[in-house]
Amino acid sequence: MNRLIASVAVGLFFVLSALAAFVSGAYTAITEPAAETVEHAFHKTPKELHLASDGPFGRFDKQQLQRGFQVYSEVCSACHSLKYVAFRDLEQLGYNEAEVKAIAASKQVPGVDPNTGEANTRPGLPTDYFPSPYPNDIAARAANNNAVPPDLSLMAKARHEGPAYVYSLLTGFTSQPKALLERFPDAKTPEGLHYNPYFANLNLAMAPPLTDGQVTFADGSPNTVDAMSKDLAAFLVWTAEPSLDKRKQTGWPVLGFLLFATVLSYLAYRNIWAEKKAKH
Amino acid sequence: MSFPWANHYTPSHPVMKWMDEKLPLPRLVYNAVGAGYPVPRNLNYMWNFGVLAGFCLMLQIVTGVILAMHYAANAGVAFASTEHIMRDVNWGWMLRYAHANGASAFFVVVYLHIFRGFYFGSYKAPREMIWLLGVVIFLLMMATAFMGYVLPWGQMSFWGAKVITGLFGAIPVVGEPIQQWLLGGFAPDNAALNRFFSLHFLLPFVIAGVVVLHIWALHIPGSSNPTGVEVKSESDTVPFHPYYTAKDGFGLGVFLLIYCAFLFFMPNQLGHPDNYIPANPLSTPAHIVPEWYFWPFYAILRAFTFDIFFIPAKLMGVLAMFAAILVWFFLPWLDNSPVRSGHYRPMFKKFFWFGLIPTMAVLFYCGGAPAEEPYVMLSQIATAYYFLHFLVVLPLVALMEKPKPLPFSITEAVLGSDDEAKLAAKS
């Protein structure tokens, strides 16, 4: 009996504490309803984006990855690093060894003068990683209105619906909606920032980076902002996970084997238990 | 201990005879998980999860040891070394995804194992010690999983470490010194990362040790079963091998199919995108959430937003979160009903399916949601019921309930009659 009283007493302590918190929370919610925030009202979830690499059977479209790489090289790389990707990885996009060497050699990477030991730069080798556009974060901040342009290697995995987010952000720059300024007069986009409803706090330091026709593709593919953004999103899916194709290719035989083994083990189980099961 | 009719180990091969004299390890295996361990014949699929949990532990140890060969526990390079594993180590991506999703799989099977125990009263005498050791294993798993999640040193790693060690900061007077002592500094940094790595490597072996005790304690009374009626005669049992090795083999196949579907086709589904951003002490993520398997307890932690007399809300949340797990230790003495299985307990069954299970679902959902209304209010109601269930409902139901009649024996439950054992009982 003592045990029962003790457990009920402890139980009621927690129950009543939780209910007290509930009552005070409910009272606050009624008397001071949480003010609507501009982010909550105007932030948009990413647009739909379909890529060749989507789904369990999806594979990279290497032509598209090459176009995306070209967009990165000619536009994004001015401010954004890609530090986890090495030039040698580009062979996966369908470039041959000579092409990879040429791409690497076209970039200057940090080096050391073999005679004086002083820091200098040298042409890249296939084993080098993509060089960063800024020597450090302070330099990056100074050049970009106090915002550090994030590394893009993992961007497609580092945001919810990453690839669609990249595509939506690049195509989502617009002027602030009238309704927004009417409801939230204080939320005018500050000087030097740019309104984009796909960005978490609606205003980002990056100016719209792409314009129609900015990059010319060798295969004559469309080079609208929309098309280039899709190509870049596809490329960033690859940089975030170069082993994506291999992962899915490995997965199917593994699942096939497991299915076979599971069916066999089910039959073995039924066979072994046949005598012990109730006969109806 | 075992039942008198258990098969005896009789090696026939000279090598096995020689081995049995020098080191009877095969005998131990034979008696523990072989033909020498009689098990109730009526176990349903819910009894598969103990074996699966053991499999997950081994999987985590094997993948983890190999990952540790490539990982560098230094705040400067930990994130990059994780990416090195993903990109440059042969099959490194598979190892890491196997380990990350293996943690989730481990918690899935362990939660099912625990809830099997809740429903079928597996914690009741004479199996209290098995249950207590099981709760210890669960606590160790939580600590191990938490520290493992810190190792990639992404944003959620860092902020998760900060929030969880911050819980100790809620303790009056000594809280802050304890927090600094745990972290080796004022905030998570290299000292914290190093010790978390060391402990993350150590604790799985401690878990393995407690698992041995858990199974040892299990072999004293033998396995429970869905009727909750204890074994009476030989016809109630079957030898573990081949009967349950075959059934567990099938269960393992189904488990691996689901696990590999995640591993190869949606390996990041259960993770958080923010952990692919390197740790940055100067930038707080908008919503700090732990991994999914902590959500119910995280919801309880955040449910307390109101000071109770002299107890600040934060401390109350910490107390409640720890109490929510510690209450499991007292379960064998809270639920005094002599009937084990929920099948034969009409009132208990209603509170289980319409009380505890929806409560856990709400807590789970709210723990993963941002700390705003209506999620906080929902988790407050659910938290109230959680404590009501374990500390008030279970003891009272045990007093008031009229259980349904139990079958005479396991054999009767399976075959409809057990005349032999009934005759033996009369004479």
Side-chain angles (χ1 to χ4, degrees):
Chain A
M1 203 59 205
N2 282 341
R3 204 199 287 167
L4 180 70
I5 293 167
S7 79
V8 169
V10 174
L12 288 181
F13 170 68
F14 283 109
V15 171
L16 294 176
S17 306
L19 290 179
F22 171 77
V23 169
S24 97
Y27 179 76
T28 314
I30 292 164
T31 51
E32 308 157 35
E36 174 79 319
T37 62
V38 63
E39 289 89 353
H40 191 263
F42 285 90
H43 179 259
K44 290 187 192 168
T45 51
K47 305 179 211 179
E48 243 184 82
L49 172 70
H50 298 286
L51 294 175
S53 55
D54 289 350
F57 295 102
R59 294 283 180 271
F60 286 127
D61 172 353
K62 289 187 179 173
Q63 288 306 310
Q64 187 179 32
L65 297 192
Q66 291 197 3
R67 294 198 299 273
F69 170 56
Q70 198 183 336
V71 175
Y72 170 76
S73 305
E74 292 181 21
V75 185
C76 321
S77 66
C79 305
H80 291 278
S81 59
L82 198 64
K83 60 184 176 188
Y84 297 115
V85 181
F87 293 113
R88 62 184 152 83
D89 296 332
L90 292 173
E91 277 190 39
Q92 288 183 30
L93 303 193
Y95 295 109
N96 62 34
E97 221 180 309
E99 285 170 322
V100 169
K101 269 188 185 163
I103 292 168
S106 71
K107 314 265 178 182
Q108 289 291 314
V109 300
V112 173
D113 188 308
N115 298 318
T116 64
E118 277 177 34
N120 67 359
T121 60
R122 60 172 172 81
L125 294 169
T127 49
D128 285 318
Y129 285 77
F130 276 78
S132 294
Y134 302 103
N136 52 50
D137 277 1
I138 299 169
R141 243 178 231 291
N144 290 284
N145 206 8
N146 204 27
V148 180
D151 184 78
L152 293 185
S153 316
L154 286 161
M155 193 49 78
K157 287 205 287 193
R159 298 287 184 278
H160 286 286
E161 299 172 63
Y165 170 82
V166 169
Y167 165 68
S168 306
L169 194 77
L170 289 174
T171 54
F173 287 95
T174 163
S175 52
Q176 269 187 314
K178 266 211 183 87
L180 185 151
L181 290 174
E182 278 163 17
R183 276 180 67 189
F184 302 96
D186 298 339
K188 196 168 163 26
T189 300
E191 193 67 34
L193 298 185
H194 307 271
Y195 182 79
N196 192 322
Y198 298 99
F199 191 65
N201 70 11
L202 305 179
N203 303 302
L204 79 165
M206 176 170 75
L210 295 169
T211 49
D212 285 337
Q214 189 173 0
V215 175
T216 310
F217 297 121
D219 62 359
S221 290
N223 54 1
T224 58
V225 169
D226 192 81
M228 289 188 292
S229 304
K230 274 183 188 158
D231 293 345
L232 186 75
F235 173 68
L236 292 183
V237 172
W238 174 78
T239 62
E241 189 159 353
S243 56
L244 188 86
D245 271 1
K246 195 179 177 189
R247 165 156 71 75
K248 292 177 191 167
Q249 274 164 10
T250 315
W252 284 112
V254 169
L255 287 190
F257 168 79
L258 284 173
L259 191 64
F260 180 66
T262 306
V263 169
L264 281 190
S265 62
Y266 180 71
L267 296 174
Y269 156 59
R270 297 297 298 187
N271 189 24
I272 287 168
W273 277 82
E275 293 291 305
K276 293 287 175 186
K277 292 277 176 189
K279 306 207 170 42
H280 293 295
Chain B
M1 192 221 103
S2 187
F3 299 109
W5 55 84
N7 294 322
H8 284 280
Y9 180 66
T10 44
S12 52
H13 195 280
V15 174
M16 297 309 276
K17 277 184 180 163
W18 181 87
M19 183 71 181
D20 196 43
E21 284 166 14
K22 316 300 171 203
L23 179 73
L25 188 64
R27 177 180 291 273
L28 181 77
V29 173
Y30 182 92
N31 289 335
V33 289
Y37 177 43
V39 187
R41 65 190 291 176
N42 62 334
L43 303 189
N44 60 30
Y45 283 109
M46 286 308 291
W47 266 259
N48 270 33
F49 294 102
V51 164
L52 291 181
F55 175 83
C56 287
L57 177 62
M58 287 191 286
L59 180 82
Q60 291 303 87
I61 289 179
V62 170
T63 52
V65 165
I66 304 172
L67 284 171
M69 297 174 190
H70 301 280
Y71 168 78
N74 179 294
V77 294
F79 189 87
S81 80
T82 308
E83 278 309 307
H84 159 72
I85 290 170
M86 291 298 286
R87 288 155 196 270
D88 295 331
V89 173
N90 290 332
W91 298 95
W93 57 269
M94 195 169 81
L95 280 170
R96 176 162 177 260
Y97 281 151
H99 196 71
N101 287 283
S104 285
F106 200 173
F107 274 97
V108 168
V109 298
V110 161
Y111 276 127
L112 289 168
H113 194 57
I114 292 171
F115 276 77
R116 192 286 314 273
F118 283 156
Y119 182 78
F120 289 103
S122 304
Y123 46 82
K124 291 189 185 179
R127 297 186 180 78
E128 305 97 314
M129 185 51 78
I130 314 171
W131 176 260
L132 297 181
L133 290 166
V135 181
V136 170
I137 293 171
F138 181 67
L139 287 172
L140 286 169
M141 274 178 68
M142 292 181 97
T144 311
F146 157 66
M147 287 188 275
Y149 194 58
V150 175
L151 302 185
W153 210 238
Q155 273 288 70
M156 278 298 162
S157 300
F158 177 90
W159 290 96
K162 199 166 165 109
V163 169
I164 301 296
T165 55
L167 299 182
F168 293 91
I171 302 168
V173 189
V174 291
E176 266 185 48
I178 288 179
Q179 187 191 347
Q180 286 167 20
W181 175 72
L182 287 173
L183 284 173
F186 297 105
D189 205 338
N190 204 41
L193 180 61
N194 264 301
R195 65 189 57 181
F196 281 12
F197 178 59
S198 172
L199 291 172
H200 183 70
F201 203 108
L202 168 72
L203 287 184
F205 297 97
V206 177
I207 293 177
V210 185
V211 167
V212 168
L213 300 181
H214 188 66
I215 298 172
W216 187 4
L218 171 71
H219 279 71
I220 307 294
S223 300
S224 64
N225 73 85
T227 64
V229 177
E230 290 297 305
V231 168
K232 286 199 165 82
S233 68
E234 185 171 4
S235 73
D236 287 347
T237 66
V238 291
F240 190 86
H241 179 74
Y243 290 96
Y244 284 107
T245 41
K247 192 172 186 176
D248 288 340
F250 169 57
L252 182 65
V254 174
F255 164 80
L256 282 175
L257 273 169
I258 299 168
Y259 168 68
C260 285
F262 272 91
L263 199 172
F264 290 104
F265 297 105
M266 36 192 169
N268 292 307
Q269 201 66 37
L270 299 170
H272 198 288
D274 278 26
N275 229 26
Y276 281 111
I277 305 170
N280 181 354
L282 300 177
S283 154
T284 318
H287 304 299
I288 302 175
V289 283
E291 289 281 85
W292 68 266
Y293 35 78
F294 293 138
W295 286 354
F297 302 103
Y298 196 55
I300 292 176
L301 170 76
R302 293 192 302 186
F304 291 87
T305 51
F306 184 72
D307 297 349
I308 306 297
F309 307 117
F310 54 91
I311 309 173
K314 189 183 172 191
L315 177 61
M316 194 59 211
V318 175
L319 285 176
M321 187 183 71
F322 284 111
I325 304 170
L326 295 182
V327 71
W328 295 0
F329 276 116
F330 296 93
L331 204 48
W333 299 278
L334 288 170
D335 176 5
N336 278 317
S337 169
V339 177
R340 296 190 185 88
S341 170
H343 279 338
Y344 304 99
R345 302 187 55 193
M347 257 174 107
F348 168 86
K349 202 171 173 176
K350 284 201 189 81
F351 280 106
F352 181 85
W353 288 114
F354 301 111
L356 184 63
I357 296 295
T359 296
M360 291 309 287
V362 169
L363 287 175
F364 175 76
Y365 184 77
C366 293
E372 51 193 48
E373 301 301 356
Y375 307 114
V376 178
M377 272 150 72
L378 273 174
S379 50
Q380 283 158 345
I381 295 288
T383 301
Y385 183 77
Y386 182 92
F387 286 102
L388 194 74
H389 184 88
F390 283 105
L391 290 160
V392 181
V393 169
L394 283 184
L396 290 182
V397 164
L399 278 184
M400 288 150 55
E401 179 180 58
K402 190 176 177 301
K404 287 202 260 181
L406 294 171
F408 172 74
S409 70
I410 293 171
T411 307
E412 189 188 274
V414 177
L415 299 179
S417 67
D418 188 7
D419 300 335
E420 226 172 280
K422 269 187 185 160
L423 275 176
K426 271 181 195 160
S427 60

